[in-house]
Amino acid sequence: AEMRFWDLVQDQNTKEFYEAYLDQYPKGTFSPLAKLLIQKFSNAGKVNLSTEIEESSTTYKALIIANEEYDFWENLKTPIQDQARISTILENRYGVEIIEHTDLHRTDFLAITYDFFESAQSNDNLIFYYAGHGERIDDTGFWLPVNAEKNRDFDWINIQKVQRYAKSSKAKSILFLIDSCFSGSINRGLTVIDQQSNN
């Protein structure tokens, strides 16, 4: 139901429809993106990221990771489908440069994530999207690579490690879109990191 509602919102592409989405799904998968787009409407009228990219040196890049087929955990049904939808929205409607990966093992997950944040320049705006299993031990949140074994957290993805990669990035801003349990550990609910304010 949420995806159908979001597709309707995207077809309309107005501030009012994004606000309607947030009213219906305040903690939905796309709520951080909806908030960002509402802000852009408020600041500059109708959103057209493609035009902004052409008129300035600012670039928009997204790393989209979907883990669905697990070796030791229950397989998930929608991450790759959702990945395809959000990739299409960001690339075709807003001109965002997309990097997509599915069903990653731990080493590949960390290497790809590190490279994404490390290679960013100061004029880049980044979007990091992850859909897949998540777990928490005490106050530490984890994302699970597809080869993660149960009760072997040393081989999981510590969310704080990804947070550290993001904070060391030169990117102008970073938006996290996460569809996973226990992902509140990423900046304790802060979904947009303004890197310039941290310098």
Side-chain angles (χ1 to χ4, degrees), residues 11-152:
D11 288 340
Q12 299 300 320
N13 193 31
T14 66
K15 178 182 177 183
E16 290 72 24
F17 272 82
Y18 289 116
E19 289 172 340
Y21 170 83
L22 287 176
D23 287 341
Q24 186 73 23
Y25 301 100
K27 295 183 180 180
T29 301
F30 303 107
S31 58
L33 182 59
K35 291 174 184 177
L36 182 66
L37 294 172
I38 289 170
Q39 181 180 357
K40 286 185 174 291
F41 271 108
S42 299
N43 292 340
K46 187 168 183 177
V47 175
N48 190 334
L49 295 185
S50 298
T51 301
E52 290 181 15
I53 292 170
E54 292 171 0
E55 293 178 351
S56 71
S57 60
T58 300
T59 58
Y60 294 81
K61 300 177 181 178
L63 173 60
I64 301 179
I65 297 173
N67 284 348
E68 189 171 286
E69 297 287 333
Y70 283 83
D71 294 337
F72 303 100
W73 300 75
E74 179 183 357
N75 289 338
L76 300 173
K77 296 180 179 179
T78 63
I80 294 177
Q81 175 183 333
D82 293 345
Q83 176 193 41
R85 287 187 174 186
I86 195 170
S87 295
T88 299
I89 290 168
L90 293 174
E91 184 173 21
N92 294 345
R93 189 177 291 274
Y94 301 116
V96 177
E97 179 183 328
I98 302 296
I99 303 169
E100 293 182 273
H101 292 277
T102 58
D103 292 336
L104 292 179
H105 288 208
R106 182 178 188 273
T107 300
D108 292 337
F109 190 114
L110 289 173
I112 288 166
T113 301
Y114 175 84
D115 289 343
F116 177 67
F117 289 121
E118 179 67 18
S119 64
Q121 301 302 310
S122 59
N123 61 335
D124 288 338
N125 294 281
L126 304 181
I127 298 172
F128 178 90
Y129 176 93
Y130 168 70
H133 277 304
E135 282 291 317
R136 183 176 64 192
I137 297 178
D138 298 326
D139 292 328
T140 303
F142 298 89
W143 295 324
L144 301 184
V146 293
N147 63 332
E149 297 185 41
K150 294 185 177 182
N151 302 317
R152 294 171 67 88

